[in-house]
Amino acid sequence: GIGGGGWRGGILADRCAQNGGRKAVLRHLALLQLGVALGAWGATFAYSELPFAFVWLHARLGSGSSLVWLSAQASLALAIMTPPALLMGATFSYLVRAAMPAPSLERRKRKRRRHEPSTVGSTPSLGRSLGLLYGVNTVGAILGAAGGALFLLPALHVRGAVGAAAITNLGGALLATTLGWSVAGTFSRTRLLGWAAATGVVAAVGWHTLAPWNPLIMTAGMYQYVSELDSPTRKAMIAFTVDPYDLLFYDEGIASIVTVARHRGSGNIWLANNGKVDASSQVDLATQVLIGHLPLAFRPAPERVLTVGLASGITAGAIALHDSIRVLDVVEISPSVVRASHEFDAVNHQPLDDPRVHLYVNDARNHLLLSPDATYDLVVSEPSNPWISGISNLFTQEFFELGRRKLRPGGLWVQWIQVYGMSGEDVRSLLGTFADVFAAAQLFRVDSDLLLVGSDSSLSLDPGAFDALFQDPAVAGDLRRAEIRGSRAMLSHYLLDREGVLALAEDVERNTDDNMRIEHSAPLTLLKDMRRSNNRMLEAAARLAVQSGVSR
């Protein structure tokens, strides 16, 4: 849009300058700024319709990797962004023409220069003007990107940031109008004050009439959950995303948009990042609790522990129940998630109030890079899904190798992986990537989640070690609420050891920083129900391992 606007705007600006001079150029420049402001303001009304439009397109075009479906998704963004972007692109072309000397003045200068001595090395005024325009444009691009992401969006959210940008364009329209008056010789302070007052009124009215924004609809995650709708109608979507829930928390943070809501019927509380549910008080409880306690059956008394991802705080709270732990570092990239986690205080044992828990609002890779080698006895990595850009590099071979260096001798790394929304080959790739890095590994499954335990030391399935977990009343009670009532129930989730995992993942390309395989391939099956096929694949591998004696 910006490129096309600049190309077409240049042609129109030339024509405008030839017919009406600088005054006409400035008048059209003011109209362009007004158009950008109106386009941005109008786009807020289109934003709230995007989820419904997405569902409508999905119902008619289907999903998957077809070019038609991918193009249809892109068209939703293009339809909203292109009109104001065209006007933004044309703005620079008109600014260049406004900076150029008037044709008659330029002709007089050329005549005068014929009778004057050469001024080699002098800088033409046009060059200075254009250089200044390009410089301001560059600085504006930097400030716009930084200010929008770091200040406007967190402070004003999407609607407010768009409104603030529209008001800025209104100011630009007033400035261009004022310059036009100066060129025409009709400038007056009274006129300026009147137009400034009118612009302020328009800005105030526009700010208070921005389109409504329903957080439950806008963060419904239709890009992943559209296939769960009973029908593609507006009524059905509202019944699916809004009617059953009470909104508890909503924040548009720097790292993600975080939503927390409670189901009115079941009482289940869920937390979503950018519409993707990452934790809940009931549905995901077993996974969140088990991943916190399971590794202590392999290493009974860890002292220094790291968890990657806070989310609901249930996993961190489960780990903190163990008395042996002296330090529990929690790394969470989103400050909004930290605040949202308190909505789960009734079920997460309030780990952030524990003096042994140290919270780091940081990227997990950065945290590990800054940590000395051999720092932790246990690392529990439970980030969001590996197909998400920015999260995917927490599932690569290089990241696991980095994490292995941060473990003390005999230390454990526990990794969460999902079996839904990814093809069997993608699941095998992640499993093989993990098993390649650690000398010993054990694989467990909880519903549609996989828990991988890795170490450079041997990992034996000792029933006595699992029994010992239930000797602690606090730990046993925490496991019971996840429907895990004894060591046999805990061991029933076991699938494969390292040899079985490697046999399953044989001849599958691994996920690395260089190829980012999962980030690019997993979205192609995001809307397909892969749970059954992947679970059948894992169960078949487990049976084969038992029959062949590979897995013990």
Side-chain angles (χ1 to χ4, degrees):
I2 291 175
W7 168 71
R8 187 61 185 171
I11 298 173
L12 296 175
D14 282 340
R15 189 178 303 164
C16 183
Q18 292 169 3
N19 295 334
R22 185 179 294 166
K23 177 183 175 182
V25 172
L26 289 169
R27 185 171 62 251
H28 283 78
L29 183 59
L31 292 173
L32 283 174
Q33 295 307 293
L34 180 61
V36 173
L38 289 174
W41 175 80
T44 63
F45 292 87
Y47 292 163
S48 58
E49 295 299 317
L50 280 176
F52 300 104
F54 182 90
V55 171
W56 185 87
L57 283 174
H58 178 267
R60 283 150 182 80
L61 300 177
S63 60
S65 58
S66 70
L67 183 60
V68 173
W69 170 239
L70 296 175
S71 300
Q73 294 181 74
S75 68
L76 293 177
L78 292 172
I80 292 178
M81 294 192 296
T82 302
L86 285 167
L87 301 181
M88 292 175 193
T91 294
F92 190 78
S93 298
Y94 274 84
L95 282 170
V96 169
R97 300 317 185 274
M100 293 176 66
S104 58
L105 178 61
E106 186 64 27
R107 283 195 295 270
R108 287 198 297 271
K109 286 183 178 180
R110 284 199 298 268
K111 290 179 181 179
R112 189 162 54 248
R113 280 197 292 267
R114 293 173 187 167
H115 306 287
E116 293 178 356
S118 173
T119 55
V120 178
S122 63
T123 304
S125 60
L126 178 59
R128 287 196 298 270
S129 299
L130 293 182
L132 179 62
L133 282 175
Y134 274 103
V136 170
N137 186 58
T138 301
V139 172
I142 296 170
L143 294 179
L150 301 178
F151 299 103
L152 283 181
L153 282 172
L156 301 177
H157 290 178
V158 171
R159 290 170 67 251
V162 172
I167 290 173
T168 303
N169 287 113
L170 285 177
L174 178 62
L175 178 59
T177 301
T178 304
L179 291 174
W181 293 336
S182 298
V183 171
T186 58
F187 174 81
S188 71
R189 185 172 298 177
T190 302
R191 193 178 188 185
L192 175 60
L193 290 175
W195 276 85
T199 301
V201 170
V202 172
V205 171
W207 181 268
H208 289 288
T209 57
L210 289 170
W213 185 281
N214 188 322
L216 287 172
I217 293 177
M218 299 308 296
T219 62
M222 285 297 101
Y223 61 87
Q224 181 170 12
Y225 304 117
V226 63
S227 57
E228 298 181 19
L229 287 174
D230 293 331
S231 70
T233 64
R234 193 182 193 92
K235 182 178 179 181
M237 183 174 168
I238 293 174
F240 180 79
T241 62
V242 178
D243 292 346
Y245 302 107
D246 291 319
L247 182 66
L248 303 180
F249 179 91
Y250 176 76
D251 187 50
E252 297 177 21
I254 295 176
S256 67
I257 296 178
V258 181
T259 313
V260 180
R262 179 193 291 112
H263 192 280
R264 293 171 184 164
S266 66
N268 181 51
I269 302 173
W270 51 259
L271 179 150
N273 280 292
N274 296 327
K276 164 66 181 66
V277 176
D278 282 329
S280 65
S281 62
Q282 295 178 14
V283 177
D284 300 308
L285 185 62
T287 298
Q288 295 168 102
V289 169
L290 188 60
I291 198 174
H293 297 300
L294 176 65
L296 280 86
F298 296 98
R299 181 170 182 128
E303 295 182 351
R304 296 186 62 89
V305 180
L306 168 68
T307 66
V308 175
L310 175 64
S312 65
I314 291 175
T315 295
I319 297 171
L321 291 176
H322 295 269
D323 294 333
S324 67
I325 294 170
R326 294 191 297 107
V327 175
L328 173 55
D329 292 340
V330 178
V331 179
E332 172 56 55
I333 195 171
S334 172
S336 302
V337 168
V338 175
R339 295 192 295 273
S341 70
H342 290 292
E343 300 295 338
F344 295 83
D345 280 352
V347 293
N348 65 10
H349 306 299
Q350 302 179 32
L352 297 182
D353 294 336
D354 191 318
R356 298 171 299 165
V357 175
H358 303 144
L359 175 68
Y360 296 89
V361 180
N362 194 5
D363 173 76
R365 285 187 80 139
N366 286 342
H367 179 82
L368 286 174
L369 285 168
L370 294 171
S371 300
D373 289 351
T375 297
Y376 295 107
D377 300 306
L378 168 64
V379 176
V380 176
S381 183
E382 197 178 12
S384 193
N385 299 73
W387 51 264
I388 300 174
S389 181
I391 303 295
S392 55
N393 65 2
L394 302 184
F395 293 84
T396 64
Q397 177 181 329
E398 290 81 358
F399 178 66
F400 293 146
E401 290 171 344
L402 171 65
R404 185 185 60 190
R405 295 198 300 271
K406 307 305 172 180
L407 294 176
R408 292 175 172 177
L412 301 180
W413 183 284
V414 185
Q415 182 66 48
W416 168 87
I417 297 173
Q418 93 276 6
V419 300
Y420 52 86
M422 292 196 298
S423 68
E425 190 165 326
D426 287 341
V427 172
R428 292 166 58 217
S429 173
L430 289 174
L431 294 176
T433 301
F434 185 90
D436 284 349
V437 172
F438 293 96
Q442 302 286 5
L443 175 64
F444 293 76
R445 183 187 61 181
V446 185
D447 297 326
S448 297
D449 298 315
L450 300 178
L451 308 181
L452 278 160
V453 183
S455 178
D456 282 341
S457 301
S458 61
L459 297 173
S460 62
L461 293 171
D462 181 4
F466 284 84
D467 286 334
L469 289 176
F470 292 86
Q471 302 306 309
D472 185 327
V475 173
D478 202 42
L479 286 165
R480 278 197 300 271
R481 68 173 179 155
E483 303 297 327
I484 302 171
R485 303 186 181 280
S487 59
R488 296 186 70 175
M490 207 170 186
L491 284 165
S492 68
H493 294 286
Y494 174 72
L495 280 178
L496 293 166
D497 65 4
R498 181 174 183 268
E499 289 72 18
V501 170
L502 289 175
L504 175 63
E506 187 178 6
D507 299 328
V508 177
E509 183 183 34
R510 299 328 195 209
N511 189 45
T512 70
D513 284 351
D514 290 335
N515 63 32
M516 297 305 289
R517 169 198 163 91
I518 304 301
E519 179 179 330
H520 293 100
S521 63
L524 300 178
T525 53
L526 186 60
L527 295 180
K528 296 180 180 179
D529 185 6
M530 306 302 299
R531 288 178 173 86
R532 291 183 180 179
S533 61
N534 285 334
N535 280 326
R536 285 197 297 267
M537 174 188 72
L538 292 165
E539 290 162 4
R543 287 194 299 270
L544 180 63
V546 171
Q547 292 169 3
S548 61
V550 172
S551 185
R552 295 176 298 279

